[in-house]
Amino acid sequence: LTGARLYATGQGLMPPAGTASETAALFAGFDHARARDRESAEAYALDLGLDDAFLGLREHTEPSRGDDDGVYVCLQSDLTDDARFARIVASARELVQAEAARGRAVHYLEAIPGIDRPAWEQLSDLIPAENFLPFARVWEEGLPLGPEQLWLTTRFHFHLLASAAGARGIAYAFNQGYYDIKHSSLIALGSGWGLDTPGSPVDAVPPAPATLRTVLDELTGQKRAEALALYPPSGQPSGST
C-alpha cells in the first residue's frame, strides 16, 4: 500500500496453507523472499536460505556457564498426542539414566512455562531440583552452552543453538510434515544430530564427526550477506553488498 520494499527471510512454511497455485503465488509481490527449509522453498516457489537466528549465532553460542559435558533436556508437551509425548519422555528417561550413571550432570531447561513442565515433572526423580532452569533464568542469563554437551530436545532453536556451539544430541519431532521438516533442515546443514520421529525412533546419539559449529563461519557469513544486501550500511543502495 505504501510502496515500501517487502521482505520475508528465514521462513518456515510447512505444512502448506492452500493449493499449489495459491502457495506459489503468495510471495509474488515481495522484493525478496527466502525459506529456511527445502520443502517450504519448493511449495512456495522461494529461494532456499537460512533461519534468521543464524545472524546472532556467533555471539550466543560461545561456551558459557554450562557444564562442559552436561546433559540438557527440554521436551514440550504441546503439538502432539499423549502417546507420542509418553514415547519421547520414556526415550529421554533411558538416555538420562545411562548418562547419569556415567557421572554426567543432567539439567532441564524450560523454554515455555507450562508447556515444558509436564516432562520435567516426569523426569524430576532423575534430575536434581537445582538443575531445573526456569524460563526467566534462561531469558536473563542465556543458554548454558558447551561443545561437549548432550542435548535431548523437541525445540528447533535449541537444536540450532546447541549444535552451533558444538554440542551433539537428539531432536524429537512432532507432527509429521511440520517439526520433522524443521529439524531435518538443520540436519541437512550438518548439525550431526539424530532425529527421532514416530516411524523412526532413535535410541542413541549418532557418532557424527561434526556439528553446525564446524560450518558456522560459512553459515553465518551467508546469512550476514543476505542481511547486508537488504539493509546495507548508510549510503549504499538496498540490494548491494
Side-chain angles (χ1 to χ4, degrees):
L1 294 177
T2 66
R5 293 175 65 83
L6 187 57
Y7 304 144
T9 62
Q11 298 294 298
L13 302 164
M14 299 302 286
T19 64
S21 60
E22 289 171 336
T23 56
L26 187 61
F27 292 92
F30 282 64
D31 296 283
H32 176 92
R34 287 184 179 174
R36 69 184 179 192
D37 60 80
R38 176 181 53 80
E39 291 84 352
S40 293
E42 293 176 352
Y44 289 81
L46 303 180
D47 290 333
L48 179 61
L50 297 169
D51 188 272
D52 289 346
F54 279 95
L55 279 175
L57 280 189
R58 182 62 70 185
E59 175 185 354
H60 294 288
T61 57
E62 292 301 321
S64 64
R65 60 180 176 78
D67 287 337
D68 287 343
D69 63 349
V71 178
Y72 288 82
V73 184
C74 179
L75 306 173
Q76 66 200 88
S77 60
D78 62 340
L79 304 179
T80 190
D81 55 45
D82 292 344
R84 176 61 179 153
F85 177 67
R87 166 67 181 84
I88 290 172
V89 173
S91 175
R93 170 174 283 276
E94 291 182 6
L95 290 166
V96 164
Q97 287 178 317
E99 295 301 324
R102 297 186 181 100
R104 299 180 78 171
V106 184
H107 308 260
Y108 193 96
L109 287 86
E110 178 185 63
I112 299 182
I115 291 175
D116 295 341
R117 186 81 185 184
W120 152 249
E121 292 174 346
Q122 294 185 38
L123 296 170
S124 60
D125 60 310
L126 301 176
I127 305 173
E130 60 268 24
N131 287 0
F132 175 79
L133 283 71
F135 166 78
R137 181 175 171 185
V138 176
W139 179 262
E140 292 172 356
E141 301 178 7
L143 286 177
L145 298 171
E148 303 300 323
Q149 294 171 349
L150 169 63
W151 281 69
L152 308 172
T153 186
T154 58
R155 298 284 180 192
F156 168 77
H157 282 103
F158 280 2
H159 179 179
L160 191 162
L161 290 162
S163 181
R168 297 167 60 206
I170 295 176
Y172 297 93
F174 295 154
N175 290 24
Q176 186 174 357
Y178 176 52
Y179 253 106
D180 56 340
I181 289 175
K182 288 156 65 79
H183 286 298
S184 292
S185 70
L186 298 178
I187 293 171
L189 291 174
S191 78
W193 284 33
L195 177 60
D196 185 297
T197 66
S200 183
V202 175
D203 297 321
V205 179
T211 64
L212 289 179
R213 191 163 189 81
T214 311
V215 290
L216 194 57
D217 288 342
E218 175 186 348
L219 296 174
T220 56
Q222 179 182 334
K223 192 64 185 183
R224 180 170 174 78
E226 180 186 22
L228 289 175
L230 299 179
Y231 306 100
S234 179
Q236 294 185 17
S238 178
S240 64
T241 56

